Amino acid sequence: MTSSARRFNVAACGRQMGKTTLGVDRITRAATSGIPCAWFAPSYKYLDEVWRSLRTVLEPMVATKSEQQHRLDLRGGGVVEAWSLDDPDAGRGRRYGLIVIDEAAIVRDLETVWQASLRPTLSVLGGGAWFLSTPKGLNYFSTLYQLGQDPLEAEWMSWQMPSSASPFITAQEIEAARRSLPERVFEQEYLAHFLQLAGAGVFRNVRVVARLQPARPEPGHVYVFGVDWGRTEDFTAISVFDATLQEQVLIDRFNRIDYEFQTERLQRLAAAYRPRQILAEANAMGMPIIERLQRGYALLDGTRRPALPVTPFVTTNATKAALVIDLSVAI
């Protein structure tokens, strides 16, 4: 895993996978090399045990220690600080070369904490981050995981590791959990699958037929896109479909991005997959965006984006119902 790590890394792990051990290893290696580091936990309850582990592992290198501030200053210049995200501004104003966000899926408002507080602490030193957690539904941790699966996001990497990959838990214990737990709970907690645990009764057997990893463009294959626009609370979703294999090979899902940047993101995917057709929702603000994409447009630096083969699609209750039924039957 660590050999393929990038600047921002997301590890979705089953229970008892050893994710905390991984995080402590990342922190100690960096700190003993003179790098300022920080550990962030969802609350003090999750912080205490890790703080004891960091103290024990780094004890031979510690120059000064503050129990009150959860800070270790190491000989050689490295620093380790441990924070609880009970305070969403924890770490604000610091400069770090590496941070670990433990149990990221249960951090309250992870998106705001990452974007407004934690990400800026890495800017001066060009630092990196590790997000470690067992999945918990389709929340922002899931979004970060998808960034790591996106071939266009060069700074991100992600892995999905079930509990069976751990040396700390036996196959017999995992099988006992499988027999005693509801199927979807077992899939999330032990297989590290991202699931919407409620309201998912329309589509069954999705995981049997789903491609779980994105596929890169293949020469000679025909691709088509589907686009559903969103902006603030709603998500924009771009589905890349390989018409040659009859498979969805990538989905890009994001929100809180201006329409100008959304069209640029679509342009980047189109440049990679060269779709024969892009079917895009025309409702609300959809049509002006579609018209812009159909005719091409100029950027502020004078370069011009090419026209894309976009076909508008009007979503109504009737068309949506038909699509849902067709997809459910196909699955």
mmCIF file with all atom_site columns, all heavy atoms in Angstrom, residues 17-38:
data_model
loop_
_atom_site.group_PDB
_atom_site.id
_atom_site.type_symbol
_atom_site.label_atom_id
_atom_site.label_alt_id
_atom_site.label_comp_id
_atom_site.label_asym_id
_atom_site.label_entity_id
_atom_site.label_seq_id
_atom_site.pdbx_PDB_ins_code
_atom_site.Cartn_x
_atom_site.Cartn_y
_atom_site.Cartn_z
_atom_site.occupancy
_atom_site.B_iso_or_equiv
_atom_site.pdbx_formal_charge
_atom_site.auth_seq_id
_atom_site.auth_comp_id
_atom_site.auth_asym_id
_atom_site.auth_atom_id
_atom_site.pdbx_PDB_model_num
ATOM 1   N N   . MET A 1 17 ? -8.686  -4.112 11.006 1.00 0.00 ? 17 MET A N   1
ATOM 2   C CA  . MET A 1 17 ? -7.776  -4.253 9.883  1.00 0.00 ? 17 MET A CA  1
ATOM 3   C C   . MET A 1 17 ? -6.371  -3.794 10.235 1.00 0.00 ? 17 MET A C   1
ATOM 4   O O   . MET A 1 17 ? -5.387  -4.177 9.594  1.00 0.00 ? 17 MET A O   1
ATOM 5   C CB  . MET A 1 17 ? -8.349  -3.436 8.702  1.00 0.00 ? 17 MET A CB  1
ATOM 6   C CG  . MET A 1 17 ? -7.491  -3.359 7.457  1.00 0.00 ? 17 MET A CG  1
ATOM 7   S SD  . MET A 1 17 ? -6.979  -4.956 6.864  1.00 0.00 ? 17 MET A SD  1
ATOM 8   C CE  . MET A 1 17 ? -5.292  -4.581 6.425  1.00 0.00 ? 17 MET A CE  1
ATOM 9   N N   . GLY A 1 18 ? -6.232  -2.962 11.254 1.00 0.00 ? 18 GLY A N   1
ATOM 10  C CA  . GLY A 1 18 ? -4.922  -2.429 11.610 1.00 0.00 ? 18 GLY A CA  1
ATOM 11  C C   . GLY A 1 18 ? -4.692  -1.028 11.090 1.00 0.00 ? 18 GLY A C   1
ATOM 12  O O   . GLY A 1 18 ? -3.548  -0.599 10.929 1.00 0.00 ? 18 GLY A O   1
ATOM 13  N N   . LYS A 1 19 ? -5.794  -0.292 10.853 1.00 0.00 ? 19 LYS A N   1
ATOM 14  C CA  . LYS A 1 19 ? -5.648  1.054  10.283 1.00 0.00 ? 19 LYS A CA  1
ATOM 15  C C   . LYS A 1 19 ? -4.960  2.012  11.248 1.00 0.00 ? 19 LYS A C   1
ATOM 16  O O   . LYS A 1 19 ? -4.189  2.873  10.819 1.00 0.00 ? 19 LYS A O   1
ATOM 17  C CB  . LYS A 1 19 ? -7.003  1.601  9.844  1.00 0.00 ? 19 LYS A CB  1
ATOM 18  C CG  . LYS A 1 19 ? -8.095  1.624  10.901 1.00 0.00 ? 19 LYS A CG  1
ATOM 19  C CD  . LYS A 1 19 ? -9.415  2.075  10.305 1.00 0.00 ? 19 LYS A CD  1
ATOM 20  C CE  . LYS A 1 19 ? -10.526 2.076  11.345 1.00 0.00 ? 19 LYS A CE  1
ATOM 21  N NZ  . LYS A 1 19 ? -10.804 0.695  11.845 1.00 0.00 ? 19 LYS A NZ  1
ATOM 22  N N   . THR A 1 20 ? -5.210  1.859  12.547 1.00 0.00 ? 20 THR A N   1
ATOM 23  C CA  . THR A 1 20 ? -4.543  2.739  13.509 1.00 0.00 ? 20 THR A CA  1
ATOM 24  C C   . THR A 1 20 ? -3.044  2.448  13.537 1.00 0.00 ? 20 THR A C   1
ATOM 25  O O   . THR A 1 20 ? -2.221  3.371  13.610 1.00 0.00 ? 20 THR A O   1
ATOM 26  C CB  . THR A 1 20 ? -5.152  2.562  14.909 1.00 0.00 ? 20 THR A CB  1
ATOM 27  O OG1 . THR A 1 20 ? -6.547  2.878  14.850 1.00 0.00 ? 20 THR A OG1 1
ATOM 28  C CG2 . THR A 1 20 ? -4.476  3.470  15.912 1.00 0.00 ? 20 THR A CG2 1
ATOM 29  N N   . THR A 1 21 ? -2.670  1.189  13.453 1.00 0.00 ? 21 THR A N   1
ATOM 30  C CA  . THR A 1 21 ? -1.252  0.822  13.381 1.00 0.00 ? 21 THR A CA  1
ATOM 31  C C   . THR A 1 21 ? -0.595  1.436  12.153 1.00 0.00 ? 21 THR A C   1
ATOM 32  O O   . THR A 1 21 ? 0.530   1.937  12.219 1.00 0.00 ? 21 THR A O   1
ATOM 33  C CB  . THR A 1 21 ? -1.103  -0.709 13.354 1.00 0.00 ? 21 THR A CB  1
ATOM 34  O OG1 . THR A 1 21 ? -1.719  -1.270 14.508 1.00 0.00 ? 21 THR A OG1 1
ATOM 35  C CG2 . THR A 1 21 ? 0.357   -1.113 13.305 1.00 0.00 ? 21 THR A CG2 1
ATOM 36  N N   . LEU A 1 22 ? -1.309  1.403  11.034 1.00 0.00 ? 22 LEU A N   1
ATOM 37  C CA  . LEU A 1 22 ? -0.800  2.029  9.813  1.00 0.00 ? 22 LEU A CA  1
ATOM 38  C C   . LEU A 1 22 ? -0.585  3.521  10.033 1.00 0.00 ? 22 LEU A C   1
ATOM 39  O O   . LEU A 1 22 ? 0.454   4.077  9.653  1.00 0.00 ? 22 LEU A O   1
ATOM 40  C CB  . LEU A 1 22 ? -1.782  1.806  8.660  1.00 0.00 ? 22 LEU A CB  1
ATOM 41  C CG  . LEU A 1 22 ? -1.527  2.614  7.378  1.00 0.00 ? 22 LEU A CG  1
ATOM 42  C CD1 . LEU A 1 22 ? -0.197  2.219  6.740  1.00 0.00 ? 22 LEU A CD1 1
ATOM 43  C CD2 . LEU A 1 22 ? -2.681  2.414  6.389  1.00 0.00 ? 22 LEU A CD2 1
ATOM 44  N N   . GLY A 1 23 ? -1.559  4.185  10.646 1.00 0.00 ? 23 GLY A N   1
ATOM 45  C CA  . GLY A 1 23 ? -1.441  5.622  10.866 1.00 0.00 ? 23 GLY A CA  1
ATOM 46  C C   . GLY A 1 23 ? -0.290  5.977  11.784 1.00 0.00 ? 23 GLY A C   1
ATOM 47  O O   . GLY A 1 23 ? 0.464   6.927  11.521 1.00 0.00 ? 23 GLY A O   1
ATOM 48  N N   . VAL A 1 24 ? -0.129  5.217  12.862 1.00 0.00 ? 24 VAL A N   1
ATOM 49  C CA  . VAL A 1 24 ? 0.983   5.462  13.786 1.00 0.00 ? 24 VAL A CA  1
ATOM 50  C C   . VAL A 1 24 ? 2.314   5.274  13.067 1.00 0.00 ? 24 VAL A C   1
ATOM 51  O O   . VAL A 1 24 ? 3.262   6.048  13.262 1.00 0.00 ? 24 VAL A O   1
ATOM 52  C CB  . VAL A 1 24 ? 0.872   4.546  15.014 1.00 0.00 ? 24 VAL A CB  1
ATOM 53  C CG1 . VAL A 1 24 ? 2.139   4.600  15.862 1.00 0.00 ? 24 VAL A CG1 1
ATOM 54  C CG2 . VAL A 1 24 ? -0.337  4.921  15.859 1.00 0.00 ? 24 VAL A CG2 1
ATOM 55  N N   . ASP A 1 25 ? 2.397   4.253  12.222 1.00 0.00 ? 25 ASP A N   1
ATOM 56  C CA  . ASP A 1 25 ? 3.625   4.021  11.453 1.00 0.00 ? 25 ASP A CA  1
ATOM 57  C C   . ASP A 1 25 ? 3.934   5.204  10.543 1.00 0.00 ? 25 ASP A C   1
ATOM 58  O O   . ASP A 1 25 ? 5.085   5.655  10.464 1.00 0.00 ? 25 ASP A O   1
ATOM 59  C CB  . ASP A 1 25 ? 3.477   2.746  10.619 1.00 0.00 ? 25 ASP A CB  1
ATOM 60  C CG  . ASP A 1 25 ? 4.674   2.510  9.705  1.00 0.00 ? 25 ASP A CG  1
ATOM 61  O OD1 . ASP A 1 25 ? 5.720   2.081  10.213 1.00 0.00 ? 25 ASP A OD1 1
ATOM 62  O OD2 . ASP A 1 25 ? 4.562   2.782  8.490  1.00 0.00 ? 25 ASP A OD2 1
ATOM 63  N N   . ARG A 1 26 ? 2.909   5.725  9.843  1.00 0.00 ? 26 ARG A N   1
ATOM 64  C CA  . ARG A 1 26 ? 3.126   6.875  8.947  1.00 0.00 ? 26 ARG A CA  1
ATOM 65  C C   . ARG A 1 26 ? 3.621   8.097  9.737  1.00 0.00 ? 26 ARG A C   1
ATOM 66  O O   . ARG A 1 26 ? 4.543   8.804  9.307  1.00 0.00 ? 26 ARG A O   1
ATOM 67  C CB  . ARG A 1 26 ? 1.830   7.229  8.228  1.00 0.00 ? 26 ARG A CB  1
ATOM 68  C CG  . ARG A 1 26 ? 1.261   6.197  7.280  1.00 0.00 ? 26 ARG A CG  1
ATOM 69  C CD  . ARG A 1 26 ? 2.147   5.974  6.065  1.00 0.00 ? 26 ARG A CD  1
ATOM 70  N NE  . ARG A 1 26 ? 3.175   4.979  6.349  1.00 0.00 ? 26 ARG A NE  1
ATOM 71  C CZ  . ARG A 1 26 ? 4.281   4.811  5.633  1.00 0.00 ? 26 ARG A CZ  1
ATOM 72  N NH1 . ARG A 1 26 ? 4.528   5.613  4.623  1.00 0.00 ? 26 ARG A NH1 1
ATOM 73  N NH2 . ARG A 1 26 ? 5.161   3.868  5.925  1.00 0.00 ? 26 ARG A NH2 1
ATOM 74  N N   . ILE A 1 27 ? 2.994   8.343  10.893 1.00 0.00 ? 27 ILE A N   1
ATOM 75  C CA  . ILE A 1 27 ? 3.353   9.505  11.710 1.00 0.00 ? 27 ILE A CA  1
ATOM 76  C C   . ILE A 1 27 ? 4.772   9.377  12.254 1.00 0.00 ? 27 ILE A C   1
ATOM 77  O O   . ILE A 1 27 ? 5.576   10.324 12.185 1.00 0.00 ? 27 ILE A O   1
ATOM 78  C CB  . ILE A 1 27 ? 2.352   9.677  12.868 1.00 0.00 ? 27 ILE A CB  1
ATOM 79  C CG1 . ILE A 1 27 ? 1.004   10.198 12.350 1.00 0.00 ? 27 ILE A CG1 1
ATOM 80  C CG2 . ILE A 1 27 ? 2.910   10.613 13.940 1.00 0.00 ? 27 ILE A CG2 1
ATOM 81  C CD1 . ILE A 1 27 ? 0.962   11.664 12.039 1.00 0.00 ? 27 ILE A CD1 1
ATOM 82  N N   . THR A 1 28 ? 5.108   8.216  12.805 1.00 0.00 ? 28 THR A N   1
ATOM 83  C CA  . THR A 1 28 ? 6.421   8.064  13.439 1.00 0.00 ? 28 THR A CA  1
ATOM 84  C C   . THR A 1 28 ? 7.546   8.132  12.415 1.00 0.00 ? 28 THR A C   1
ATOM 85  O O   . THR A 1 28 ? 8.605   8.722  12.688 1.00 0.00 ? 28 THR A O   1
ATOM 86  C CB  . THR A 1 28 ? 6.498   6.744  14.221 1.00 0.00 ? 28 THR A CB  1
ATOM 87  O OG1 . THR A 1 28 ? 6.157   5.647  13.367 1.00 0.00 ? 28 THR A OG1 1
ATOM 88  C CG2 . THR A 1 28 ? 5.539   6.770  15.396 1.00 0.00 ? 28 THR A CG2 1
ATOM 89  N N   . ARG A 1 29 ? 7.349   7.548  11.250 1.00 0.00 ? 29 ARG A N   1
ATOM 90  C CA  . ARG A 1 29 ? 8.384   7.627  10.210 1.00 0.00 ? 29 ARG A CA  1
ATOM 91  C C   . ARG A 1 29 ? 8.639   9.074  9.799  1.00 0.00 ? 29 ARG A C   1
ATOM 92  O O   . ARG A 1 29 ? 9.789   9.492  9.619  1.00 0.00 ? 29 ARG A O   1
ATOM 93  C CB  . ARG A 1 29 ? 7.981   6.790  8.994  1.00 0.00 ? 29 ARG A CB  1
ATOM 94  C CG  . ARG A 1 29 ? 8.077   5.295  9.187  1.00 0.00 ? 29 ARG A CG  1
ATOM 95  C CD  . ARG A 1 29 ? 7.584   4.543  7.959  1.00 0.00 ? 29 ARG A CD  1
ATOM 96  N NE  . ARG A 1 29 ? 7.607   3.115  8.153  1.00 0.00 ? 29 ARG A NE  1
ATOM 97  C CZ  . ARG A 1 29 ? 8.649   2.325  7.876  1.00 0.00 ? 29 ARG A CZ  1
ATOM 98  N NH1 . ARG A 1 29 ? 9.763   2.858  7.384  1.00 0.00 ? 29 ARG A NH1 1
ATOM 99  N NH2 . ARG A 1 29 ? 8.581   1.025  8.082  1.00 0.00 ? 29 ARG A NH2 1
ATOM 100 N N   . ALA A 1 30 ? 7.571   9.830  9.622  1.00 0.00 ? 30 ALA A N   1
ATOM 101 C CA  . ALA A 1 30 ? 7.730   11.222 9.201  1.00 0.00 ? 30 ALA A CA  1
ATOM 102 C C   . ALA A 1 30 ? 8.329   12.074 10.318 1.00 0.00 ? 30 ALA A C   1
ATOM 103 O O   . ALA A 1 30 ? 9.251   12.877 10.086 1.00 0.00 ? 30 ALA A O   1
ATOM 104 C CB  . ALA A 1 30 ? 6.379   11.790 8.765  1.00 0.00 ? 30 ALA A CB  1
ATOM 105 N N   . ALA A 1 31 ? 7.829   11.908 11.539 1.00 0.00 ? 31 ALA A N   1
ATOM 106 C CA  . ALA A 1 31 ? 8.284   12.753 12.645 1.00 0.00 ? 31 ALA A CA  1
ATOM 107 C C   . ALA A 1 31 ? 9.755   12.512 12.965 1.00 0.00 ? 31 ALA A C   1
ATOM 108 O O   . ALA A 1 31 ? 10.497  13.455 13.257 1.00 0.00 ? 31 ALA A O   1
ATOM 109 C CB  . ALA A 1 31 ? 7.418   12.502 13.877 1.00 0.00 ? 31 ALA A CB  1
ATOM 110 N N   . THR A 1 32 ? 10.210  11.260 12.917 1.00 0.00 ? 32 THR A N   1
ATOM 111 C CA  . THR A 1 32 ? 11.618  10.972 13.200 1.00 0.00 ? 32 THR A CA  1
ATOM 112 C C   . THR A 1 32 ? 12.529  11.419 12.082 1.00 0.00 ? 32 THR A C   1
ATOM 113 O O   . THR A 1 32 ? 13.755  11.404 12.235 1.00 0.00 ? 32 THR A O   1
ATOM 114 C CB  . THR A 1 32 ? 11.822  9.467  13.462 1.00 0.00 ? 32 THR A CB  1
ATOM 115 O OG1 . THR A 1 32 ? 11.277  8.706  12.371 1.00 0.00 ? 32 THR A OG1 1
ATOM 116 C CG2 . THR A 1 32 ? 11.135  9.045  14.761 1.00 0.00 ? 32 THR A CG2 1
ATOM 117 N N   . SER A 1 33 ? 11.948  11.831 10.953 1.00 0.00 ? 33 SER A N   1
ATOM 118 C CA  . SER A 1 33 ? 12.727  12.430 9.866  1.00 0.00 ? 33 SER A CA  1
ATOM 119 C C   . SER A 1 33 ? 12.742  13.957 9.958  1.00 0.00 ? 33 SER A C   1
ATOM 120 O O   . SER A 1 33 ? 13.207  14.621 9.030  1.00 0.00 ? 33 SER A O   1
ATOM 121 C CB  . SER A 1 33 ? 12.164  11.997 8.507  1.00 0.00 ? 33 SER A CB  1
ATOM 122 O OG  . SER A 1 33 ? 12.224  10.597 8.344  1.00 0.00 ? 33 SER A OG  1
ATOM 123 N N   . GLY A 1 34 ? 12.188  14.500 11.047 1.00 0.00 ? 34 GLY A N   1
ATOM 124 C CA  . GLY A 1 34 ? 12.209  15.938 11.253 1.00 0.00 ? 34 GLY A CA  1
ATOM 125 C C   . GLY A 1 34 ? 11.002  16.684 10.742 1.00 0.00 ? 34 GLY A C   1
ATOM 126 O O   . GLY A 1 34 ? 11.009  17.905 10.647 1.00 0.00 ? 34 GLY A O   1
ATOM 127 N N   . ILE A 1 35 ? 9.926   15.952 10.409 1.00 0.00 ? 35 ILE A N   1
ATOM 128 C CA  . ILE A 1 35 ? 8.742   16.566 9.816  1.00 0.00 ? 35 ILE A CA  1
ATOM 129 C C   . ILE A 1 35 ? 7.694   16.830 10.900 1.00 0.00 ? 35 ILE A C   1
ATOM 130 O O   . ILE A 1 35 ? 7.421   15.945 11.721 1.00 0.00 ? 35 ILE A O   1
ATOM 131 C CB  . ILE A 1 35 ? 8.155   15.645 8.732  1.00 0.00 ? 35 ILE A CB  1
ATOM 132 C CG1 . ILE A 1 35 ? 9.156   15.493 7.577  1.00 0.00 ? 35 ILE A CG1 1
ATOM 133 C CG2 . ILE A 1 35 ? 6.820   16.177 8.207  1.00 0.00 ? 35 ILE A CG2 1
ATOM 134 C CD1 . ILE A 1 35 ? 8.755   14.451 6.550  1.00 0.00 ? 35 ILE A CD1 1
ATOM 135 N N   . PRO A 1 36 ? 7.083   18.021 10.928 1.00 0.00 ? 36 PRO A N   1
ATOM 136 C CA  . PRO A 1 36 ? 5.985   18.276 11.868 1.00 0.00 ? 36 PRO A CA  1
ATOM 137 C C   . PRO A 1 36 ? 4.719   17.539 11.431 1.00 0.00 ? 36 PRO A C   1
ATOM 138 O O   . PRO A 1 36 ? 4.293   17.651 10.275 1.00 0.00 ? 36 PRO A O   1
ATOM 139 C CB  . PRO A 1 36 ? 5.803   19.797 11.807 1.00 0.00 ? 36 PRO A CB  1
ATOM 140 C CG  . PRO A 1 36 ? 6.348   20.198 10.480 1.00 0.00 ? 36 PRO A CG  1
ATOM 141 C CD  . PRO A 1 36 ? 7.443   19.221 10.135 1.00 0.00 ? 36 PRO A CD  1
ATOM 142 N N   . CYS A 1 37 ? 4.116   16.799 12.350 1.00 0.00 ? 37 CYS A N   1
ATOM 143 C CA  . CYS A 1 37 ? 2.984   15.925 12.022 1.00 0.00 ? 37 CYS A CA  1
ATOM 144 C C   . CYS A 1 37 ? 1.849   16.141 13.024 1.00 0.00 ? 37 CYS A C   1
ATOM 145 O O   . CYS A 1 37 ? 2.049   16.657 14.122 1.00 0.00 ? 37 CYS A O   1
ATOM 146 C CB  . CYS A 1 37 ? 3.405   14.458 12.076 1.00 0.00 ? 37 CYS A CB  1
ATOM 147 S SG  . CYS A 1 37 ? 4.801   14.031 11.022 1.00 0.00 ? 37 CYS A SG  1
ATOM 148 N N   . ALA A 1 38 ? 0.664   15.695 12.631 1.00 0.00 ? 38 ALA A N   1
ATOM 149 C CA  . ALA A 1 38 ? -0.482  15.784 13.541 1.00 0.00 ? 38 ALA A CA  1
ATOM 150 C C   . ALA A 1 38 ? -1.417  14.611 13.315 1.00 0.00 ? 38 ALA A C   1
ATOM 151 O O   . ALA A 1 38 ? -1.578  14.121 12.200 1.00 0.00 ? 38 ALA A O   1
ATOM 152 C CB  . ALA A 1 38 ? -1.230  17.096 13.338 1.00 0.00 ? 38 ALA A CB  1
#
